[in-house]
Structure formats: structure tokens, C-alpha cells
Amino acid sequence: MKKIILVFALSVVSLGFGQGNTHTQVAGKFEGLAMTPPMGWNSWNTFGTSIDEKLVKETADIMVSSGMAAAGYNYIVLDDGWMTRERDINGDLIPDPVKFPNGMKAVIDYVHSKGLKFGLYNCAGTQTCAGYPGTRGYEYQDARFYAKLGIDFLKYDWCNTQGITAKEAYTTMSNALKTAGKPIIFSLCEWGDNKPWEWGKPVGNLWRISGDIYPCFDCEYKHEEGNWSSWGFMKIVEMRKDIRKYSGPDHWNDFDMMEVGNEMNDTEDKSHFSMWCMMASPLVAGNDFRKMSKETLAILTNKELIAVDQDKLGIQGFKYSAEDGLEVWVKPLSDGNWAVTFLNRSEVAKKINFDWKKHTIKDADFGYEANFSTTIFKLKDLWKNKEAGNTKKNFTADIAPHDVIALRLIP
Ligand code: GLA
């Protein structure tokens, strides 16, 4: 009898601080929700906290009518700024009634009615980064709130977290979501400060690996206030190219929301998109769909590159070589295919003359190898969407500064 009472006491534990509730805790993330890198749209990069019902509905409409949804983008995620500054008297979060006059449920129902999925943002700390109520001490209550609303994705940030440890805080929220019972992708956003790739696999489906992205090729943007920087897309890739073995199906290294269509030119946007696909990063657009140029749309919906990102092996690519500003990035794909991307990291035009036969590409982390002396591969140019010869001949091309040439190699 004693034993039974002890087992019962251990399985029903009082969780959260000051919530006055007792729950049966279920541990571990929802498995299998992100077997390929999640794709969607997030409000933050373009809109900050200036978000509302109209923006969500228009974005959802265009996501479908433009072909973005057909290309695979299916999550609409509202980032910081969706709540009021205080919780209600029961401690529940309140969607801002000015921004969302019909409530959040109406917005979510609309997104769902379009065949899309919906996500929200909060923070592990006492307040979000923009000063709205954080989840600390309300983990189980907020998880029930999200489950009841019917959201599909939660991005969980790391501001105002003095005195708590990341692994514990994210584990608590992960368990809270699981306990609430509605399958929700859990997106960790603690900027890579506490190496989430080392402990995040049972906790979440993806984790940010760096501070915020900045719409530039390779710059560091130092913020005037506080001691932090935002990073050009190649800075993020370079910073985290060596943690590839931690990424894979249902536990992705998240290189951040994209800046395609924001402040870079189309050449740089093409490179940015190619590199996100080479890294098997989640593909979350961060631009204003209502003002999207046809070039931006074409970049974001490049089916061949998306197939590289979404390849079922789920392997993050790596830098094979770099010489005089010309880099070669490679990614093993299923069925013995490879993606090979030439990137001109320099400020001057370059000539590529790549003699395949002199190279054997070895992926030591995952055990793949491409030996061009023993296997001939057909080449497909993924931006031109056409055949580009085979590996018997040298690959030769001119490549502009900051441009890419992305190939699929088919044995
Ligand atoms: C942090 C995150 C961003 C965004 C903002 C919102 O900086 O890294 O992606 O969510 O907070 O305040």
C-alpha cells in the first residue's frame, strides 16, 4: 500500500509556481511533428509588435493565393506583441483587443479554414523581450490556454530570465504543453546561449542557434542599446556550421526567420535562401507578403531548393572548401544525391573551374561519401532549373559577388 501511495504521489505532482493547481505531468515533447524543417511565416522581422487581425488574414490569403502554401509554407506565427500588458484576474493571457477585436480564436479559425496552421510566441522569463507578460510561473496555465485556443506552434523566447536555467525552463514548458494534450511544435529561442543542441532533442522540435538575424550578407549589426548584435546571414551560418551533427528530423538547428524580400538585393536573397536550404534550416519567411515582388516570390518558392531543405535524410550541409572567397558547400541527400552550392563570398566576380575527379567529398559526421573518380553524377542547376552536364567534365562558370550556383548531383 505504501508503495502505491508513493507511486501516486510521484506521478501527480504540483507544478508551476502559485498557480494553485495539481496536474498529472506528462514529460517530453510531442514527437514527430517536424520530421522535415518547419516552413511558414513569422511577423517579427518586418512588423515587430505592429501586428493585428487584418495582417494575419491578408498574410494567410496571400500564402494560399501566391503559391507559397503549395510550395510548403504552412505555419503563420505571430511573434511578440499579440497580448495586453497585463494578465487578467485569473492570470490568463489576453490577446490585445485593439489588435484582435474579434479575439484570437477567430483569427486562428480563419487561418485553419485556409488549410494553414497557426503559432504564437511567448517567453520563458517574467516578461517577453518587448515587455509583455512572460510565462515564468504560469507554464501550465499558459499551456492550457494555448491548447484551448488550438494553436499548432509555440515559439518560446529567453528575455528576462535572470536566475533560471535554460534546460529546466524549456523542459518545464515542454512538459506543460505535453500535459495540456494538444500537439504543438515547440520552438526554442534562447539564441544558442546555453547550447540547446546538446539538450534540446527531447524538449523541442527546433531551436535557435544564434542571436537575431539582420538583413545583410555578412555584417555584424551592433545595437546601440545593450550589449548585443544581430547577424548577417553568413555570420550565422559560419558561427554554427560545426554543430551539424545535432540537427535532424524533429530536432532542427534553427538559423532564424529569413530576411528574403527585406533589405538585401535579389542576388543576396538567392544566396540567403540557398544557404538556409543547405543548412536544412526551418524556412520561415519574414517579409511583407502584401508587397512581395515576383522575384522574391520566385526565390521563396524555388521547388528544387525547397526539396534540398526538406530532404528526408534531414542532414545539415557543411563547408567542403574555401579558396580566395569562393566557397563550396555540400549536403548529402537521400537516394545518393548531393546538393553542391558554390558561393562567392567575396566582393569581386570569380570564375569557377571545378575538376570533380580531383575531389572526394566525405561527410565524417554522417558517414556519406561522394567519390567522383568512381561515380559519375548528372548535374542539375537548381536556380536555372536545367541540366548542367555531368561530373566527367570540369564545372566552369562565372559567379558574381555574393551570388550562388546551386546544383543537385544525381548518380
Ligand atoms: C528576440 C527573438 C526574436 C523576436 C524578438 C521579439 O529577440 O530572438 O526572434 O522573437 O525577441 O521581441
Side-chain angles (χ1 to χ4, degrees), residues 44 79-80 121 129-130 155 157 189 191 208 212 228 256-257:
W44 184 255
D79 209 284
D80 211 349
Y121 160 102
C129 299
K155 173 176 170 180
D157 211 345
C189 176
W191 319 314
R208 280 274 298 281
D212 292 359
W228 67 298
D256 206 352
M257 290 95 67

Side-chain angles (χ1 to χ4, degrees), residues 40-309:
W41 175 87
N42 175 299
S43 52
W44 184 255
N45 286 358
T46 296
F47 299 96
T49 59
S50 303
I51 50 180
D52 58 23
E53 174 178 326
K54 186 165 172 280
L55 173 68
V56 177
K57 286 186 167 175
E58 288 176 354
T59 301
D61 290 347
I62 299 170
M63 200 137 162
V64 173
S65 65
S66 65
M68 291 282 294
Y73 296 86
N74 57 354
Y75 284 88
I76 294 209
V77 180
L78 280 183
D79 209 284
D80 211 349
W82 61 268
M83 309 170 230
T84 56
R85 294 277 172 193
E86 305 289 338
R87 290 172 180 269
D88 72 12
I89 48 164
N90 301 315
D92 278 331
L93 296 166
I94 314 171
D96 185 321
V98 178
K99 295 173 178 172
F100 304 99
N102 299 301
M104 196 55 87
K105 186 85 175 73
V107 175
I108 298 172
D109 287 347
Y110 186 83
V111 170
H112 284 162
S113 78
K114 295 251 135 189
L116 303 171
K117 296 177 176 179
F118 185 82
L120 285 174
Y121 160 102
N122 209 320
C123 212
T126 49
Q127 288 195 330
T128 71
C129 299
Y132 295 90
T135 289
R136 186 170 182 192
Y138 292 88
E139 290 81 0
Y140 281 77
Q141 181 163 357
D142 287 357
R144 286 195 298 273
F145 178 82
Y146 300 135
K148 198 168 167 211
L149 273 178
I151 72 170
D152 311 290
F153 187 108
L154 179 68
K155 173 176 170 180
Y156 203 54
D157 211 345
W158 189 239
C159 279
N160 306 302
T161 51
Q162 294 74 5
I164 58 176
T165 66
K167 185 178 172 185
E168 280 170 32
Y170 282 93
T171 301
T172 301
M173 193 61 198
S174 175
N175 293 346
L177 291 172
K178 191 75 179 291
T179 303
K182 160 78 177 71
I184 291 173
I185 286 188
F186 191 37
S187 163
L188 282 54
C189 176
E190 61 69 79
W191 319 314
D193 289 0
N194 302 278
K195 300 191 175 162
W197 47 89
E198 287 182 353
W199 48 262
K201 193 174 170 186
V203 178
N205 311 86
L206 61 158
W207 46 76
R208 280 274 298 281
I209 51 170
S210 71
D212 292 359
I213 193 169
Y214 194 79
C216 65
F217 186 80
D218 214 354
C219 72
E220 174 180 354
Y221 179 82
K222 290 191 170 135
H223 293 269
E224 276 161 29
E225 275 174 44
N227 185 22
W228 67 298
S229 292
S230 295
W231 307 99
F233 73 85
M234 280 313 296
K235 280 271 187 298
I236 299 179
V237 171
E238 197 66 55
M239 197 188 301
R240 298 302 185 211
K241 64 183 187 319
D242 297 326
I243 57 167
R244 56 190 294 269
K245 68 167 192 259
Y246 296 99
S247 192
D250 221 21
H251 55 277
W252 304 101
N253 286 336
D254 175 2
F255 285 69
D256 206 352
M257 290 95 67
M258 294 184 285
E259 294 284 9
V260 174
N262 288 342
E263 284 168 45
M264 290 180 281
N265 61 39
D266 291 336
T267 301
E268 292 174 326
D269 277 353
K270 239 174 81 187
S271 299
H272 174 16
F273 189 71
S274 303
M275 291 310 295
W276 258 226
C277 295
M278 292 298 288
M279 295 298 105
S281 176
L283 296 178
V284 181
N287 57 316
D288 185 347
F289 285 1
R290 300 164 310 178
K291 296 183 183 152
M292 176 156 55
S293 70
K294 62 178 194 315
E295 289 79 11
T296 295
L297 177 64
I299 291 169
L300 288 171
T301 57
N302 181 315
K303 284 199 172 59
E304 301 287 343
L305 260 308
I306 291 174
V308 168
D309 180 77

